[in-house]
Amino acid sequence: MTTTTSLILRTGARVLMPLLLLFGVFLLLRGHNAPGGGFAGGLVVAAAYILHFFAFGLDAARRALLTRPERLIGSGLLLAVGSGILPALFGRPFLTSLWFDPARGIGTPMLFDLGVFLVVIGVVLIMTFTLAEE
Amino acid sequence: MNVLVLPIALPLFTAAVLLLAPSRPLLQRWISFAGACALAIAAVLVFVRVERDGILVLQLGGWPAPFGITLVADVLSAMLVVATAVVGLAVASSAFSGVDPRREGFGYHGLIHVLLMGVSGAFLTGDLFNLYVWFEVMLVASFVLMALHRTRAQLEAAFKYVALNLIASSLFLTTLGLLYGGTGALNMAELATILPACENTAYETILAMLFLTAFGIKAAMFPLFFWLPASYHTPPAAVGAVFAGLLTKVGVYSMIRVFTLLFPGDPAMLYTLLLAQAGCTMIVGLVGALAQRDFRRILSFNLVGHLGYTTVGVALGTSAAMAGSIFYILHHIAAITNLYLISGVFLRLRHTTSLTELGSIFRERPLVAILAAIPVFSLAGVPPLSGFIGKLALVRGAFGAGAWWTGGIILAVSLLTLLSMARLWSESFWKTAPHGDKSRLPGVILLPIAFLSAITVAMTVAAGPLYQLAMKTSDQLLNPALYIDAVLKGGPQP
């Protein structure tokens, strides 16, 4: 597959991939009070891998992901549920926000967002990879 | 009251663990079974707390009602969550007798738990938009479960199922838009303080009719039930069992919850229509069942017909009729789930559920026949089994409310049910089969069937206390002030 894609696409993808990944994480981190968040960040990261898949083929994209997308969904769900259960352990209602450092937005909502982030990456990539195989 | 979130969080947790665990069949089955056991324990815990402390309320995220999402469990919700957990246990344990490997590879167990989460969520939520979200969770999970294997018939059935349910969902969503635009509220308890006092009867009637249509499709009520017999006979037995046992009951539950809270006794047109629908559903369902020659299709039509029984209570609105319906819902969940699981035995033995090919079970496998006789005759309403008690309570409720027509229809339809079940019994268990068995039967396949039959027997033996519980539930439902106060003024707090 690598031979069929253009040199421009491959070079562009190589440069853009790290930028997109960084941008995805940036969106995730600023998302609590500003536009962004786990969902948007997850989509950007998934887009980075899709670009990689267009440029270098399915196997390369799977290798670059380092894990199976199902794993990402599973761990994302666990994180999200965990962020809800954590306050319950302190006797507060499920999903109550607990803040470690509210000024920087570090607390259970961030954990929840991280869970969403992972689930979105996993879901989008599982769909893309499955479609690519057929 | 964080215990309220457990019936939702535990299945999600189980589904996540199933995704992360290696995809070895046996391991997946055990994780799924352990998750179902945990769900059962949590459900019983919720039920015990509700029995002890009254209506339980949890304001998610600490946001007070009506601003946040509220989880509420009264006796009805708690009982239905326990029933969900029982069906979950039966279906999870039925996986030990074998699941189609292609389904299992694509996350069959996880999807079952997502479905259970959706059902528990719908039973526990106190927010109408949240109820819509749980409907969607159920729809997505059930669609994937139905279409996973992709034989021609299954895909066709899945398409009909999804198309009609999507229409119901969009109707429901439209109604929520109208409701929110008009009242500015989605919390059911808050709506219950606004809508009954609303002067605009046209607005109320429109909302009521839209809810009736949306929930009517979900609950497979006449004339919107066609999707159910067109689809429920195609998925594997265990999937059909969990669909038949739970999904339509969520539609019925939503009717009971929304109508008793938002439209208590008014507009009268809603209740007249609902009663007429319930009557037609019973008649059409059972007449349809008599015309069928396939075990699972007969069950599908019986399911539709009996959904009429479960809505008579809310349509009549008297305490006795409501208690009869609630008792009937509980009995029906156990019996119909069991019968769909029994169709799995036929699929295993004869590779078909067509009545012409079945038979000889009573002579060759008496244990199967005895276990199956309990749900078959319970559904038929043969005394002293739980179905008979449920029908008796309903008929008394209907006559007590002066609804002679409805009572008459219930009695006539009971006869049709008896006829349909007697034919089912003699054709599939009693007569001599044209061909012998094709396969061996693993003993584990009988475990969930025995479990559910035992539950039906237990409901029969403990019919007195169970009926008392149903009476208590209907008193709670017919007195919405209890629910409203618990949510808005904070009943027993965490």
Side-chain angles (χ1 to χ4, degrees), chain B residues 2 46 87 103 152 158 226 271 274 280 336 351 416 422 456:
Chain B
N2 272 310
V46 169
V87 171
R103 269 171 206 277
R152 205 185 148 81
F226 301 102
Y271 292 96
L274 186 58
C280 292
I336 202 83
H351 299 282
L416 291 183
T456 300

Side-chain angles (χ1 to χ4, degrees), chain B residues 186-200:
Chain B
L186 284 170
N187 184 297
M188 290 196 239
E190 199 194 6
L191 282 169
T193 63
I194 299 173
L195 267 189
C198 173
E199 297 287 314
N200 190 346

Side-chain angles (χ1 to χ4, degrees), chain A residues 71 74 78 81 92-96, chain B residues 2 5 12-13 16 20 59 61:
Chain A
R71 293 270 155 90
L78 279 185
V81 179
R92 314 277 293 278
F94 186 77
L95 280 176
T96 309
Chain B
N2 272 310
V5 89
L12 183 60
F13 180 78
L20 288 173
Q59 312 288 1

